[in-house]
Amino acid sequence: MGLATYFRSTIRDFLLQWTHQHGYDLFEDGLKIYTTIDSRLQKHAEEAVAAHMPVLQQKFEQHWEGQNPWIDQKGYEIKDFIENAIKHTTDYKRLVEEHGNNIDTIHKLLHTPVPTKLFSWKGEIDTVMSPIDTLKYNKRLLHTGFMAMEPHTGHIKAWVGGINHKYFQYDHVMQGKRQGGSAFKAIVYTAALDNGYTPWQKIIDSPVTFKVHGDPPTWTPRNWSRRYTGQKMTLRQAMARSVNSITAYLMKQLGPQLVVDYAKRLGIHSPLEPVPALCLGSADVSVYELVGAYSTFMNKGVWTAPFYITRIEDKNGRVLETFVPQRSEAVSERTAYLMIHMLKGTTEEEGGTSRGITGELKEDNEICGKTGTTSNHSDGWFVGMARDLCAGVWVGGEDRCIHFRSFALGSGARTARPIWEKFMLSVYADPELPYKKGPLLSYEKPVDVEIPEQDANTKKIMLPIQKQDQDEEEQEEDAMIELDVVDRELDVNEIF
Protein backbone atom coordinates (compact mmCIF):
# COMPACT_ATOMS: atom_id res chain seq x y z
CA MET A 1 0.00 0.00 0.00
CA GLY A 2 2.93 2.42 0.63
CA LEU A 3 3.06 5.61 2.64
CA ALA A 4 0.29 8.20 3.04
CA THR A 5 -2.58 6.10 1.71
CA TYR A 6 -5.24 8.45 3.10
CA PHE A 7 -3.43 11.47 1.70
CA ARG A 8 -3.19 9.87 -1.74
CA SER A 9 -6.90 9.17 -1.67
CA THR A 10 -7.61 12.80 -0.78
CA ILE A 11 -5.53 14.29 -3.60
CA ARG A 12 -6.94 11.74 -6.04
CA ASP A 13 -10.35 13.37 -5.77
CA PHE A 14 -8.82 16.82 -6.25
CA LEU A 15 -6.77 15.74 -9.26
CA LEU A 16 -9.70 14.08 -10.98
CA GLN A 17 -11.59 17.35 -10.69
CA TRP A 18 -8.61 19.44 -11.80
CA THR A 19 -7.87 17.34 -14.88
CA HIS A 20 -11.53 17.35 -15.89
CA GLN A 21 -11.67 21.15 -15.64
CA HIS A 22 -8.41 21.65 -17.55
CA GLY A 23 -8.91 19.06 -20.27
CA TYR A 24 -6.30 16.50 -19.24
CA ASP A 25 -6.46 12.75 -18.68
CA LEU A 26 -5.00 11.92 -15.31
CA PHE A 27 -4.10 8.39 -16.41
CA GLU A 28 -2.87 8.92 -19.96
CA ASP A 29 -1.19 12.35 -20.14
CA GLY A 30 1.85 11.69 -17.95
CA LEU A 31 1.22 14.57 -15.57
CA LYS A 32 3.74 15.21 -12.80
CA ILE A 33 2.27 16.08 -9.42
CA TYR A 34 4.44 17.70 -6.73
CA THR A 35 3.25 17.55 -3.12
CA THR A 36 4.24 19.09 0.19
CA ILE A 37 4.38 15.77 2.03
CA ASP A 38 7.79 14.82 3.42
CA SER A 39 8.15 11.04 3.41
CA ARG A 40 10.39 11.15 6.48
CA LEU A 41 7.82 13.02 8.54
CA GLN A 42 5.07 10.86 7.08
CA LYS A 43 6.91 7.74 8.15
CA HIS A 44 7.38 9.08 11.68
CA ALA A 45 3.68 9.97 11.86
CA GLU A 46 2.51 6.56 10.71
CA GLU A 47 4.92 4.86 13.10
CA ALA A 48 3.65 7.00 15.99
CA VAL A 49 0.08 5.94 15.23
CA ALA A 50 1.12 2.30 14.86
CA ALA A 51 2.97 2.42 18.18
CA HIS A 52 0.19 3.98 20.25
CA MET A 53 -3.10 2.76 18.80
CA PRO A 54 -2.56 -1.00 19.39
CA VAL A 55 -1.80 -0.27 23.05
CA LEU A 56 -4.86 1.94 23.35
CA GLN A 57 -7.02 -0.65 21.58
CA GLN A 58 -5.88 -3.32 24.02
CA LYS A 59 -6.83 -1.08 26.94
CA PHE A 60 -10.20 -0.50 25.32
CA GLU A 61 -10.81 -4.23 24.94
CA GLN A 62 -9.84 -4.86 28.55
CA HIS A 63 -12.06 -1.98 29.65
CA TRP A 64 -15.07 -3.48 27.83
CA GLU A 65 -14.29 -7.17 28.24
CA GLY A 66 -17.49 -9.21 28.00
CA GLN A 67 -19.60 -6.14 27.18
CA ASN A 68 -20.57 -4.12 24.15
CA PRO A 69 -19.13 -0.57 24.12
CA TRP A 70 -22.04 1.20 22.44
CA ILE A 71 -23.86 2.90 25.28
CA ASP A 72 -26.33 5.75 25.79
CA GLN A 73 -25.88 8.87 27.92
CA LYS A 74 -26.81 6.93 31.05
CA GLY A 75 -24.30 4.17 30.41
CA TYR A 76 -26.73 1.51 29.23
CA GLU A 77 -26.12 -0.56 26.12
CA ILE A 78 -28.02 0.80 23.12
CA LYS A 79 -30.62 -1.76 22.10
CA ASP A 80 -30.41 -3.00 18.50
CA PHE A 81 -27.41 -0.78 17.81
CA ILE A 82 -25.73 -3.23 15.42
CA GLU A 83 -29.01 -4.20 13.76
CA ASN A 84 -29.67 -0.54 12.97
CA ALA A 85 -26.08 0.25 12.04
CA ILE A 86 -25.84 -2.55 9.48
CA LYS A 87 -28.67 -0.98 7.50
CA HIS A 88 -26.23 1.76 6.50
CA THR A 89 -23.63 -0.65 5.11
CA THR A 90 -23.02 -1.54 1.47
CA ASP A 91 -23.62 -5.21 2.28
CA TYR A 92 -27.12 -4.50 3.53
CA LYS A 93 -27.97 -2.22 0.62
CA ARG A 94 -26.78 -4.87 -1.83
CA LEU A 95 -28.98 -7.49 -0.18
CA VAL A 96 -32.00 -5.18 -0.37
CA GLU A 97 -31.37 -4.70 -4.09
CA GLU A 98 -31.17 -8.47 -4.56
CA HIS A 99 -34.02 -9.55 -2.30
CA GLY A 100 -36.28 -6.53 -1.99
CA ASN A 101 -38.47 -6.58 1.12
CA ASN A 102 -37.83 -10.23 1.93
CA ILE A 103 -36.71 -9.46 5.48
CA ASP A 104 -36.37 -13.12 6.50
CA THR A 105 -33.92 -13.86 3.68
CA ILE A 106 -31.91 -10.71 4.37
CA HIS A 107 -31.78 -11.52 8.08
CA LYS A 108 -30.60 -15.05 7.37
CA LEU A 109 -27.85 -13.90 5.02
CA LEU A 110 -26.64 -11.26 7.47
CA HIS A 111 -26.21 -14.00 10.08
CA THR A 112 -24.65 -16.56 7.73
CA PRO A 113 -20.85 -16.96 8.11
CA VAL A 114 -18.83 -16.23 4.97
CA PRO A 115 -15.09 -16.00 4.26
CA THR A 116 -13.98 -12.68 5.71
CA LYS A 117 -10.78 -10.68 6.17
CA LEU A 118 -10.51 -8.48 9.24
CA PHE A 119 -8.09 -5.77 10.28
CA SER A 120 -6.10 -6.27 13.47
CA TRP A 121 -2.99 -4.59 14.82
CA LYS A 122 -1.27 -7.99 14.85
CA GLY A 123 -1.95 -8.54 11.16
CA GLU A 124 -4.81 -9.34 8.83
CA ILE A 125 -7.20 -12.02 10.10
CA ASP A 126 -8.50 -14.49 7.51
CA THR A 127 -11.59 -16.10 8.98
CA VAL A 128 -15.22 -17.11 8.48
CA MET A 129 -17.71 -14.70 10.00
CA SER A 130 -21.21 -13.39 9.35
CA PRO A 131 -21.69 -9.78 8.18
CA ILE A 132 -23.42 -8.94 11.47
CA ASP A 133 -20.50 -10.26 13.54
CA THR A 134 -18.01 -8.54 11.25
CA LEU A 135 -19.72 -5.23 11.95
CA LYS A 136 -19.66 -5.94 15.69
CA TYR A 137 -15.93 -6.57 15.46
CA ASN A 138 -15.22 -3.42 13.47
CA LYS A 139 -17.36 -1.18 15.68
CA ARG A 140 -15.12 -1.99 18.65
CA LEU A 141 -12.09 -0.46 16.95
CA LEU A 142 -10.79 2.99 17.85
CA HIS A 143 -9.82 5.38 15.05
CA THR A 144 -7.54 8.37 14.68
CA GLY A 145 -6.54 11.27 12.48
CA PHE A 146 -3.18 13.08 12.50
CA MET A 147 -1.83 16.03 10.53
CA ALA A 148 1.38 18.05 10.77
CA MET A 149 2.14 21.28 8.93
CA GLU A 150 4.66 24.08 8.74
CA PRO A 151 2.85 27.18 10.06
CA HIS A 152 4.86 29.67 7.98
CA THR A 153 4.48 27.99 4.59
CA GLY A 154 1.17 26.17 5.01
CA HIS A 155 2.84 22.99 3.74
CA ILE A 156 1.23 19.83 5.09
CA LYS A 157 4.10 17.51 5.96
CA ALA A 158 2.31 14.44 7.30
CA TRP A 159 -1.25 13.11 6.95
CA VAL A 160 -2.55 9.96 8.64
CA GLY A 161 -6.28 9.73 8.06
CA GLY A 162 -6.99 6.51 9.94
CA ILE A 163 -5.71 3.19 11.22
CA ASN A 164 -5.74 1.28 7.92
CA HIS A 165 -6.92 2.57 4.56
CA LYS A 166 -7.52 -0.90 3.10
CA TYR A 167 -10.27 -1.58 5.62
CA PHE A 168 -11.41 1.92 6.63
CA GLN A 169 -11.34 4.51 3.85
CA TYR A 170 -13.03 7.28 5.84
CA ASP A 171 -10.50 10.08 6.35
CA HIS A 172 -10.30 11.57 9.85
CA VAL A 173 -8.09 14.52 8.93
CA MET A 174 -10.30 16.55 6.61
CA GLN A 175 -13.43 14.49 5.97
CA GLY A 176 -14.18 13.53 9.57
CA LYS A 177 -15.48 16.19 11.95
CA ARG A 178 -16.12 15.76 15.65
CA GLN A 179 -16.72 18.00 18.66
CA GLY A 180 -13.51 19.86 19.47
CA GLY A 181 -13.96 19.95 23.23
CA SER A 182 -11.48 22.09 25.11
CA ALA A 183 -9.20 22.24 22.06
CA PHE A 184 -11.67 24.86 20.80
CA LYS A 185 -11.14 27.07 23.86
CA ALA A 186 -8.07 28.62 22.23
CA ILE A 187 -10.41 30.38 19.82
CA VAL A 188 -12.46 31.87 22.67
CA TYR A 189 -9.30 33.19 24.31
CA THR A 190 -8.08 34.55 20.98
CA ALA A 191 -11.26 36.59 20.62
CA ALA A 192 -10.82 37.86 24.19
CA LEU A 193 -7.19 38.94 23.72
CA ASP A 194 -7.99 40.63 20.42
CA ASN A 195 -10.71 42.63 22.18
CA GLY A 196 -8.88 44.10 25.12
CA TYR A 197 -8.31 41.26 27.57
CA THR A 198 -4.79 40.31 28.68
CA PRO A 199 -3.25 36.98 29.79
CA TRP A 200 -2.59 38.37 33.28
CA GLN A 201 -6.07 39.80 33.78
CA LYS A 202 -7.74 38.08 36.73
CA ILE A 203 -11.26 36.67 36.81
CA ILE A 204 -13.06 34.89 39.64
CA ASP A 205 -13.74 31.17 39.26
CA SER A 206 -17.49 31.26 39.88
CA PRO A 207 -20.66 29.98 38.18
CA VAL A 208 -21.71 31.62 34.92
CA THR A 209 -25.30 31.11 33.78
CA PHE A 210 -26.68 31.54 30.28
CA LYS A 211 -30.29 31.85 29.22
CA VAL A 212 -30.99 29.21 26.58
CA HIS A 213 -33.93 27.90 24.62
CA GLY A 214 -35.32 24.70 26.05
CA ASP A 215 -35.99 23.05 29.35
CA PRO A 216 -34.35 24.01 31.66
CA PRO A 217 -34.20 27.59 30.36
CA THR A 218 -30.70 28.19 31.72
CA TRP A 219 -27.30 26.53 31.39
CA THR A 220 -24.42 26.77 33.88
CA PRO A 221 -21.22 25.04 32.73
CA ARG A 222 -19.52 22.96 35.40
CA ASN A 223 -15.83 22.77 36.18
CA TRP A 224 -14.02 19.44 36.14
CA SER A 225 -14.27 19.22 39.94
CA ARG A 226 -18.01 19.96 39.92
CA ARG A 227 -17.23 22.95 42.15
CA TYR A 228 -15.97 26.52 41.93
CA THR A 229 -13.05 27.81 44.00
CA GLY A 230 -14.17 31.43 44.22
CA GLN A 231 -10.55 32.38 43.64
CA LYS A 232 -9.16 34.89 41.19
CA MET A 233 -6.91 33.50 38.50
CA THR A 234 -5.30 34.97 35.42
CA LEU A 235 -6.58 34.11 31.98
CA ARG A 236 -3.30 32.28 31.39
CA GLN A 237 -3.84 30.14 34.46
CA ALA A 238 -7.47 29.53 33.54
CA MET A 239 -6.61 28.38 30.04
CA ALA A 240 -3.69 26.30 31.28
CA ARG A 241 -5.99 24.48 33.71
CA SER A 242 -8.92 24.44 31.27
CA VAL A 243 -11.29 26.08 33.77
CA ASN A 244 -14.73 26.04 32.21
CA SER A 245 -16.29 28.81 34.30
CA ILE A 246 -13.79 31.40 33.09
CA THR A 247 -14.09 30.34 29.44
CA ALA A 248 -17.85 30.69 29.92
CA TYR A 249 -17.38 34.14 31.48
CA LEU A 250 -15.47 35.27 28.40
CA MET A 251 -18.11 33.82 26.11
CA LYS A 252 -20.83 35.71 27.96
CA GLN A 253 -18.90 38.98 27.77
CA LEU A 254 -17.91 38.63 24.13
CA GLY A 255 -21.05 36.98 22.82
CA PRO A 256 -21.20 33.71 20.85
CA GLN A 257 -21.39 35.43 17.46
CA LEU A 258 -18.03 37.16 17.98
CA VAL A 259 -16.42 33.82 18.81
CA VAL A 260 -17.93 32.33 15.63
CA ASP A 261 -16.49 35.24 13.66
CA TYR A 262 -13.01 34.63 15.05
CA ALA A 263 -13.27 30.92 14.37
CA LYS A 264 -14.02 31.72 10.72
CA ARG A 265 -11.06 34.09 10.58
CA LEU A 266 -8.87 31.29 11.90
CA GLY A 267 -9.99 28.94 9.14
CA ILE A 268 -12.78 27.01 10.84
CA HIS A 269 -15.21 26.66 7.94
CA SER A 270 -17.43 23.97 9.46
CA PRO A 271 -20.93 25.14 10.43
CA LEU A 272 -20.87 26.86 13.83
CA GLU A 273 -23.96 27.80 15.79
CA PRO A 274 -23.56 30.98 17.89
CA VAL A 275 -24.62 29.32 21.12
CA PRO A 276 -23.09 29.44 24.62
CA ALA A 277 -21.98 25.77 24.53
CA LEU A 278 -19.57 26.65 21.74
CA CYS A 279 -17.16 27.93 24.40
CA LEU A 280 -16.61 24.32 25.50
CA GLY A 281 -16.18 22.98 21.99
CA SER A 282 -19.67 21.72 21.17
CA ALA A 283 -19.20 22.23 17.41
CA ASP A 284 -17.88 19.60 15.03
CA VAL A 285 -14.51 20.52 13.52
CA SER A 286 -11.75 18.67 11.68
CA VAL A 287 -8.11 18.02 12.48
CA TYR A 288 -7.29 19.93 9.31
CA GLU A 289 -9.15 23.01 10.55
CA LEU A 290 -7.78 23.03 14.10
CA VAL A 291 -4.16 22.59 13.02
CA GLY A 292 -4.57 25.46 10.57
CA ALA A 293 -6.13 27.65 13.28
CA TYR A 294 -3.39 27.01 15.85
CA SER A 295 -0.69 27.57 13.23
CA THR A 296 -1.91 31.15 12.93
CA PHE A 297 -0.45 31.94 16.35
CA MET A 298 3.01 30.88 15.17
CA ASN A 299 2.70 32.98 12.02
CA LYS A 300 2.25 36.48 13.49
CA GLY A 301 -1.53 36.24 13.31
CA VAL A 302 -1.67 35.41 9.61
CA TRP A 303 -3.86 32.40 8.83
CA THR A 304 -2.33 30.26 6.11
CA ALA A 305 -4.57 27.62 4.59
CA PRO A 306 -2.96 24.18 4.92
CA PHE A 307 -2.25 22.87 1.41
CA TYR A 308 -0.69 19.81 -0.15
CA ILE A 309 0.10 20.30 -3.87
CA THR A 310 2.73 22.83 -4.96
CA ARG A 311 2.57 22.43 -8.74
CA ILE A 312 1.43 20.29 -11.65
CA GLU A 313 3.57 19.80 -14.76
CA ASP A 314 2.95 18.07 -18.07
CA LYS A 315 5.08 15.14 -19.23
CA ASN A 316 7.69 17.53 -20.69
CA GLY A 317 8.14 19.46 -17.46
CA ARG A 318 6.09 22.49 -18.48
CA VAL A 319 4.38 23.98 -15.42
CA LEU A 320 0.62 23.85 -15.86
CA GLU A 321 -0.29 25.36 -12.51
CA THR A 322 1.51 26.50 -9.38
CA PHE A 323 -0.40 26.45 -6.11
CA VAL A 324 0.08 28.93 -3.29
CA PRO A 325 -1.84 28.87 -0.03
CA GLN A 326 -4.59 31.31 0.74
CA ARG A 327 -3.48 33.81 3.40
CA SER A 328 -5.33 36.38 5.46
CA GLU A 329 -4.63 38.42 8.56
CA ALA A 330 -6.78 36.76 11.20
CA VAL A 331 -5.58 38.55 14.34
CA SER A 332 -2.95 41.11 15.25
CA GLU A 333 0.68 40.11 15.72
CA ARG A 334 0.29 41.11 19.36
CA THR A 335 -2.66 38.76 19.88
CA ALA A 336 -0.84 35.91 18.15
CA TYR A 337 2.23 36.36 20.36
CA LEU A 338 0.10 36.50 23.50
CA MET A 339 -1.77 33.36 22.46
CA ILE A 340 1.53 31.49 22.24
CA HIS A 341 2.32 32.82 25.70
CA MET A 342 -1.09 31.57 26.87
CA LEU A 343 -0.64 28.13 25.32
CA LYS A 344 2.83 27.76 26.82
CA GLY A 345 1.04 28.07 30.15
CA THR A 346 -0.35 24.55 29.66
CA THR A 347 3.20 23.23 30.21
CA GLU A 348 4.44 25.97 32.55
CA GLU A 349 1.62 26.88 34.93
CA GLU A 350 0.82 24.85 38.02
CA GLY A 351 -2.06 22.56 37.10
CA GLY A 352 -1.42 23.02 33.38
CA THR A 353 -3.12 20.42 31.21
CA SER A 354 0.08 19.55 29.33
CA ARG A 355 2.44 19.37 32.28
CA GLY A 356 2.49 15.59 31.79
CA ILE A 357 4.30 15.81 28.45
CA THR A 358 7.51 13.81 28.63
CA GLY A 359 10.48 15.75 29.96
CA GLU A 360 12.56 14.57 27.03
CA LEU A 361 10.55 16.86 24.75
CA LYS A 362 10.66 19.79 27.19
CA GLU A 363 14.38 19.70 27.82
CA ASP A 364 16.14 22.64 26.12
CA ASN A 365 12.98 23.24 24.17
CA GLU A 366 9.83 25.35 24.00
CA ILE A 367 6.61 23.52 23.22
CA CYS A 368 2.96 24.08 23.93
CA GLY A 369 -0.39 22.59 23.10
CA LYS A 370 -3.98 22.02 24.11
CA THR A 371 -5.89 18.88 24.91
CA GLY A 372 -9.57 18.35 24.31
CA THR A 373 -12.01 15.78 25.66
CA THR A 374 -15.69 15.83 24.78
CA SER A 375 -18.79 14.65 26.58
CA ASN A 376 -18.56 11.05 27.78
CA HIS A 377 -14.95 10.91 26.52
CA SER A 378 -16.21 10.31 22.99
CA ASP A 379 -13.41 12.35 21.44
CA GLY A 380 -9.82 12.89 22.48
CA TRP A 381 -7.81 15.76 20.98
CA PHE A 382 -4.38 17.26 21.15
CA VAL A 383 -2.91 20.10 19.11
CA GLY A 384 0.77 20.63 19.81
CA MET A 385 3.29 23.19 18.64
CA ALA A 386 7.06 23.17 18.47
CA ARG A 387 9.46 25.30 16.49
CA ASP A 388 8.43 25.24 12.79
CA LEU A 389 5.83 22.47 13.27
CA CYS A 390 2.21 22.33 14.36
CA ALA A 391 0.44 18.98 14.56
CA GLY A 392 -2.97 17.79 15.70
CA VAL A 393 -4.48 14.45 16.68
CA TRP A 394 -8.01 13.14 17.13
CA VAL A 395 -8.86 9.72 18.58
CA GLY A 396 -12.28 8.15 19.08
CA GLY A 397 -14.75 5.48 18.07
CA GLU A 398 -16.48 5.35 14.72
CA ASP A 399 -19.64 6.41 16.54
CA ARG A 400 -19.84 8.90 19.42
CA CYS A 401 -21.54 6.31 21.60
CA ILE A 402 -18.40 4.13 21.55
CA HIS A 403 -15.87 5.33 24.11
CA PHE A 404 -14.13 4.71 27.40
CA ARG A 405 -16.26 5.13 30.49
CA SER A 406 -13.67 6.99 32.57
CA PHE A 407 -11.85 10.26 32.03
CA ALA A 408 -8.63 8.69 33.27
CA LEU A 409 -8.68 6.36 30.24
CA GLY A 410 -10.55 8.42 27.67
CA SER A 411 -9.11 11.93 28.02
CA GLY A 412 -7.24 13.59 25.19
CA ALA A 413 -4.06 13.36 27.24
CA ARG A 414 -4.36 9.58 27.28
CA THR A 415 -5.80 8.86 23.83
CA ALA A 416 -4.42 11.56 21.50
CA ARG A 417 -1.41 13.30 23.00
CA PRO A 418 0.86 10.21 23.10
CA ILE A 419 0.78 10.12 19.28
CA TRP A 420 2.02 13.71 19.10
CA GLU A 421 4.73 12.98 21.67
CA LYS A 422 5.97 9.90 19.82
CA PHE A 423 5.95 11.81 16.54
CA MET A 424 7.95 14.74 17.90
CA LEU A 425 10.49 12.48 19.62
CA SER A 426 11.07 10.68 16.32
CA VAL A 427 11.39 13.97 14.45
CA TYR A 428 14.05 15.26 16.85
CA ALA A 429 15.91 11.96 16.70
CA ASP A 430 16.11 12.05 12.90
CA PRO A 431 19.40 13.73 11.89
CA GLU A 432 18.22 14.21 8.30
CA LEU A 433 15.36 16.51 9.29
CA PRO A 434 15.76 20.28 9.74
CA TYR A 435 13.43 20.47 12.75
CA LYS A 436 15.39 21.10 15.95
CA LYS A 437 14.63 22.02 19.53
CA GLY A 438 14.72 25.66 20.52
CA PRO A 439 12.57 28.76 20.98
CA LEU A 440 9.02 28.21 19.78
CA LEU A 441 8.79 31.41 17.78
CA SER A 442 11.14 32.55 15.07
CA TYR A 443 10.19 36.22 15.47
CA GLU A 444 10.85 38.80 18.19
CA LYS A 445 8.32 39.92 20.74
CA PRO A 446 6.17 42.74 19.36
CA VAL A 447 7.10 46.15 20.79
CA ASP A 448 3.62 46.62 22.27
CA VAL A 449 3.82 43.46 24.38
CA GLU A 450 5.15 43.44 27.94
CA ILE A 451 5.14 40.15 29.86
CA PRO A 452 4.85 40.63 33.64
CA GLU A 453 7.78 39.26 35.62
CA GLN A 454 5.73 36.57 37.34
CA ASP A 455 4.65 35.20 33.94
CA ALA A 456 8.15 35.40 32.51
CA ASN A 457 9.50 33.41 35.44
CA THR A 458 7.40 30.39 34.53
CA LYS A 459 9.84 29.72 31.70
CA LYS A 460 11.89 27.69 34.14
CA ILE A 461 10.17 24.57 32.80
CA MET A 462 12.50 24.69 29.82
CA LEU A 463 14.97 22.96 32.09
CA PRO A 464 14.79 19.17 32.61
CA ILE A 465 11.93 18.26 34.94
CA GLN A 466 10.70 15.04 36.45
CA LYS A 467 7.58 13.40 35.08
CA GLN A 468 4.42 14.23 37.00
CA ASP A 469 3.05 11.43 39.16
CA GLN A 470 -0.38 12.10 37.80
CA ASP A 471 -1.14 13.88 34.57
CA GLU A 472 -2.71 17.18 35.49
CA GLU A 473 -4.67 17.17 32.28
CA GLU A 474 -7.19 15.07 34.14
CA GLN A 475 -8.52 18.32 35.59
CA GLU A 476 -10.12 19.16 32.29
CA GLU A 477 -13.90 19.05 32.18
CA ASP A 478 -15.88 17.24 29.53
CA ALA A 479 -17.53 19.46 26.96
CA MET A 480 -21.27 19.27 26.76
CA ILE A 481 -22.40 19.14 24.19
CA GLU A 482 5.38 12.14 -3.70
CA LEU A 483 5.77 10.69 -0.90
CA ASP A 484 9.49 10.61 -0.61
CA VAL A 485 11.24 13.88 0.09
CA VAL A 486 9.86 17.41 0.20
CA ASP A 487 8.38 18.57 -3.12
CA ARG A 488 8.75 15.12 -4.65
CA GLU A 489 7.07 14.25 -7.90
CA LEU A 490 4.11 11.95 -7.31
CA ASP A 491 3.53 9.18 -9.80
CA VAL A 492 -0.12 8.93 -10.83
CA ASN A 493 0.02 5.17 -10.24
CA GLU A 494 0.69 5.88 -6.58
CA ILE A 495 -2.58 7.72 -6.24
CA PHE A 496 -4.88 4.89 -7.31
Side-chain angles (χ1 to χ4, degrees), residues 18-243:
W18 187 92
T19 51
H20 177 73
Q21 291 175 346
H22 292 79
Y24 290 97
D25 189 310
L26 182 59
F27 304 99
E28 301 295 335
D29 289 344
L31 299 179
K32 301 174 183 178
I33 317 297
Y34 293 85
T35 77
T36 62
I37 295 292
D38 186 318
S39 67
R40 299 162 298 183
L41 287 174
Q42 181 68 30
K43 182 173 181 289
H44 292 316
E46 293 186 10
E47 288 176 347
V49 168
H52 175 64
M53 291 303 291
V55 176
L56 188 67
Q57 186 65 48
Q58 185 177 20
K59 290 181 180 178
F60 191 72
E61 292 299 336
Q62 292 171 346
H63 182 69
W64 284 103
E65 187 174 5
Q67 303 175 70
N68 290 321
W70 34 88
I71 57 176
D72 60 22
Q73 294 289 329
K74 296 182 179 180
Y76 296 107
E77 180 179 340
I78 299 174
K79 185 179 179 182
D80 298 326
F81 173 77
I82 293 297
E83 287 71 16
N84 290 324
I86 203 165
K87 294 177 182 178
H88 301 285
T89 65
T90 55
D91 281 343
Y92 184 87
K93 294 174 182 178
R94 175 180 55 79
L95 290 175
V96 169
E97 289 181 1
E98 294 175 357
H99 301 282
N101 294 323
N102 193 331
I103 302 301
D104 291 339
T105 298
I106 293 174
H107 182 272
K108 180 180 179 181
L109 291 171
L110 289 175
H111 289 78
T112 299
V114 294
T116 303
K117 294 184 185 295
L118 301 172
F119 165 80
S120 85
W121 285 107
K122 295 181 179 180
E124 186 176 75
I125 299 174
D126 199 339
T127 185
V128 175
M129 185 178 286
S130 69
I132 202 85
D133 287 333
T134 297
L135 184 61
K136 285 181 182 178
Y137 175 90
N138 287 332
K139 286 291 185 181
R140 299 181 72 93
L141 294 173
L142 296 176
H143 297 265
T144 188
F146 174 95
M147 190 185 96
M149 70 174 279
E150 288 182 344
H152 312 300
T153 64
H155 288 194
I156 296 173
K157 294 298 179 182
W159 181 305
V160 185
I163 56 176
N164 187 285
H165 188 265
K166 177 181 177 181
Y167 288 94
F168 309 101
Q169 287 78 43
Y170 191 82
D171 173 67
H172 292 286
V173 170
M174 182 183 284
Q175 184 180 8
K177 297 182 179 183
R178 297 286 282 264
Q179 287 183 330
S182 289
F184 191 88
K185 287 180 180 177
I187 296 172
V188 180
Y189 282 95
T190 299
L193 295 184
D194 215 41
N195 285 273
Y197 287 86
T198 67
W200 39 91
Q201 189 167 341
K202 292 186 177 181
I203 296 176
I204 297 175
D205 173 21
S206 60
V208 175
T209 298
F210 296 90
K211 291 183 179 180
V212 295
H213 298 292
D215 185 18
T218 61
W219 176 60
T220 305
R222 300 174 301 177
N223 286 332
W224 69 273
S225 60
R226 307 297 193 265
R227 62 184 179 84
Y228 309 91
T229 65
Q231 299 176 346
K232 287 185 177 181
M233 62 181 71
T234 66
L235 291 191
R236 189 177 195 254
Q237 291 169 333
M239 183 174 174
R241 301 169 188 171
S242 208
V243 179

Side-chain angles (χ1 to χ4, degrees), residues 73 178-185 219-224 226 242-244 247 276-285 370-381 400 403 407 410-412 473 475-481:
Q73 294 289 329
R178 297 286 282 264
Q179 287 183 330
S182 289
F184 191 88
K185 287 180 180 177
W219 176 60
T220 305
R222 300 174 301 177
N223 286 332
W224 69 273
R226 307 297 193 265
S242 208
V243 179
N244 284 347
T247 311
L278 184 63
C279 71
L280 301 187
S282 62
D284 288 348
V285 294
K370 189 71 186 77
T371 52
T373 311
T374 62
S375 183
N376 298 321
H377 334 111
S378 294
D379 307 283
W381 291 87
R400 299 176 197 267
H403 50 77
F407 191 81
S411 70
E473 196 275 347
Q475 297 181 6
E476 184 180 346
E477 161 69 346
D478 298 358
M480 296 298 291
I481 351 240

